[in-house]
Amino acid sequence: MSRIEPYLFLNGRADEAIAFYQDALGAELAMRMTFGESPDAPPMPLPPGWDKKVLHAALKVGDMQLMLSDGDCADNAAFGGFRLSLACDGEAAARRAFDQLAAGGSVQMPLGPTFWAPLFGMVTDKFGIGWMVGLAG
């Protein structure tokens, strides 16, 4: 069986995002490698200081994996046309995650009851990642 795992390129802000998602979602750092730790030379020249930037990291969020990187050294991190869906086990967890994800970001749909879910909301975090937060069903 195959599965889809999101991979975010964060334009030099990966360590900030790791800390943010650890706090906001209770994510656990499963793996982190910098460009400087890579066993192979990077396929492109790195700007000064990028040897300490994240080449690849993996966070465990519940039973899924969220992968991320600082990216390709270009200023082109743009996220559109999708949202990550976060299904929480209870109302308190959903409210906490929603509020944490909204910190420094923006709310598109406040967390509340809908005809399809007892609790649902949409938020874009400070990294430009869109989230749909609701209760697991």
Side-chain angles (χ1 to χ4, degrees):
M1 168 171 256
S2 299
R3 66 179 183 241
I4 295 173
E5 295 180 333
Y7 203 117
L8 308 176
F9 292 94
L10 292 152
N11 192 35
R13 297 179 70 191
D15 279 326
E16 183 184 351
I18 289 167
F20 180 76
Y21 295 137
Q22 285 175 317
D23 184 52
L25 305 175
E28 298 174 26
L29 183 61
M31 188 272 187
R32 181 186 176 278
M33 176 185 282
T34 66
F35 283 93
E37 294 169 332
S38 174
D40 294 327
M44 69 281 199
L46 295 175
W50 271 73
D51 60 317
K52 296 189 180 4
K53 294 291 186 179
V54 176
L55 170 66
H56 174 73
L59 296 173
K60 185 175 181 217
V61 182
D63 62 354
M64 63 90 54
Q65 179 170 257
L66 177 64
M67 296 180 289
L68 47 96
S69 172
D70 274 312
D72 62 4
C73 313
D75 186 15
N76 60 5
F79 301 98
F82 77 97
R83 287 185 182 270
L84 299 178
S85 181
L86 179 64
C88 299
D89 289 331
E91 182 176 341
R95 290 192 184 283
R96 181 184 184 285
F98 187 88
D99 291 345
Q100 293 282 346
L101 290 168
S106 61
V107 174
Q108 289 74 54
M109 181 179 175
L111 197 60
T114 65
F115 71 87
W116 67 87
L119 198 62
F120 178 86
M122 295 191 302
V123 62
T124 299
D125 71 25
K126 65 182 179 178
F127 302 102
I129 308 297
W131 295 85
M132 297 183 304
V133 178
L135 296 179

